[in-house]
Amino acid sequence: MRRFFTLLKREIRHYFHQPLAYIVLFCFLLIVGFIFQLGVGALNRATSQTTVIEAFFDSILLWFPFILTFPLLTMRLFSEEYKLGTIETLMTAPVGDLAVVLSKYFGALAFYLVLWAPTILYFVIFHVVTGQSAAQSFSQYFGSYLLLLLVGMFYLSIGCLASSLTSNQIVAAIVSFAIICLMFFLSVVTFVFPSADRFLGDIVYYFSTIEHMADFSQGVFDSRPIVLYVSLTLFTLFLTFHIFQHRRWRS
């Protein structure tokens, strides 16, 4: 366990020692802050029962920077190690393959949490300036950020899987971006084909991140998305573990 935490600290330090991490953090907060301002402005111009937190998290504009962060955060995880040859050090270290995979994954997850943590200040500042709450209840805050965590866990695991497949970071980024886009935009099927079969609509809804966020941002909790994202995350990490083991055996 001590060796696992040593690896984890190594991965976290690696993130915060790279200029790219701060560029991603700055650009992400700048874009997301602008989207928050647009949502508040839209609510000011029209009478609506929609809360600020719903307007923010249900905005389609928010999902574009959201999706783009995952390839950037994960493309170097294994690919850089393969390219530089430092993976040999990890493979000969007195730690298990599972510890290596999990340390890289949780290192990326830690930075993902750091990426979203400052956005809580948007709602605090809104409350201080306007004297009004951005949500009707605490469950809306909790639900929105809970789903961000669950979806982030799954998409980061996809990035880990893509990075474990190749030594080229650009290829890893493209593969993870393509898979994440495919999973995410499944929800638009019902909008493009509104007359689609009800059974197909139910399946799409089950996998629809947009629909899940619409519910969770209203404080409406459903155990099915929780089970879905946790299960998919574990399965994807399982695949990553076996791919890493295979490459170790080949080397």
Side-chain angles (χ1 to χ4, degrees), residues 15-16 24-25 28-29 57 63 65-67 69-70 73-74 105-119 144-156 213:
Y15 267 106
F16 288 97
V24 171
L25 180 61
F28 179 81
L29 292 177
F57 283 107
W63 297 109
F66 176 77
I67 291 174
T69 58
F70 296 103
L73 292 181
T74 59
Y105 172 74
F106 283 111
L109 182 60
F111 188 80
Y112 174 77
L113 296 177
V114 170
L115 202 64
W116 277 100
T119 63
S144 300
Y145 281 95
L146 173 62
L147 192 68
L148 280 179
L149 173 62
L150 292 170
V151 178
M153 288 169 55
F154 174 44
Y155 288 173
L156 285 172
M213 180 56 79

Side-chain angles (χ1 to χ4, degrees), residues 35-54:
I35 294 171
F36 180 82
Q37 190 274 332
L38 288 179
V40 173
L43 291 178
N44 284 335
R45 290 190 296 270
T47 303
S48 174
Q49 298 298 318
T50 304
T51 61
V52 172
I53 198 165
E54 288 177 70

Side-chain angles (χ1 to χ4, degrees), residues 65-113:
F66 176 77
I67 291 174
L68 285 173
T69 58
F70 296 103
L72 295 175
L73 292 181
T74 59
M75 64 182 186
R76 52 155 287 276
L77 288 180
F78 291 95
S79 299
E80 186 179 53
E81 303 272 12
Y82 293 147
K83 184 177 181 180
L84 298 178
T86 53
I87 196 69
E88 301 296 334
T89 305
L90 284 178
M91 289 179 173
T92 56
V95 292
D97 294 343
L98 182 60
V100 173
V101 172
L102 291 181
S103 65
K104 289 188 171 294
Y105 172 74
F106 283 111
L109 182 60
F111 188 80
Y112 174 77
L113 296 177

Side-chain angles (χ1 to χ4, degrees), residues 121-180:
L121 293 176
Y122 299 164
F123 304 105
V124 175
I125 294 172
F126 175 84
H127 178 70
V128 171
V129 172
T130 65
Q132 301 178 5
S133 177
Q136 295 177 344
S137 64
F138 175 76
S139 62
Q140 287 187 283
Y141 293 111
F142 179 75
S144 300
Y145 281 95
L146 173 62
L147 192 68
L148 280 179
L149 173 62
L150 292 170
V151 178
M153 288 169 55
F154 174 44
Y155 288 173
L156 285 172
S157 69
I158 292 176
C160 285
L161 176 62
S163 185
S164 69
L165 291 170
T166 176
S167 59
N168 190 311
Q169 295 185 42
I170 303 302
V171 172
I174 293 173
V175 170
S176 62
F177 180 75
I179 297 175
I180 289 171

Side-chain angles (χ1 to χ4, degrees), residues 3 59 93 102:
R3 289 166 180 167
S59 172
L102 291 181

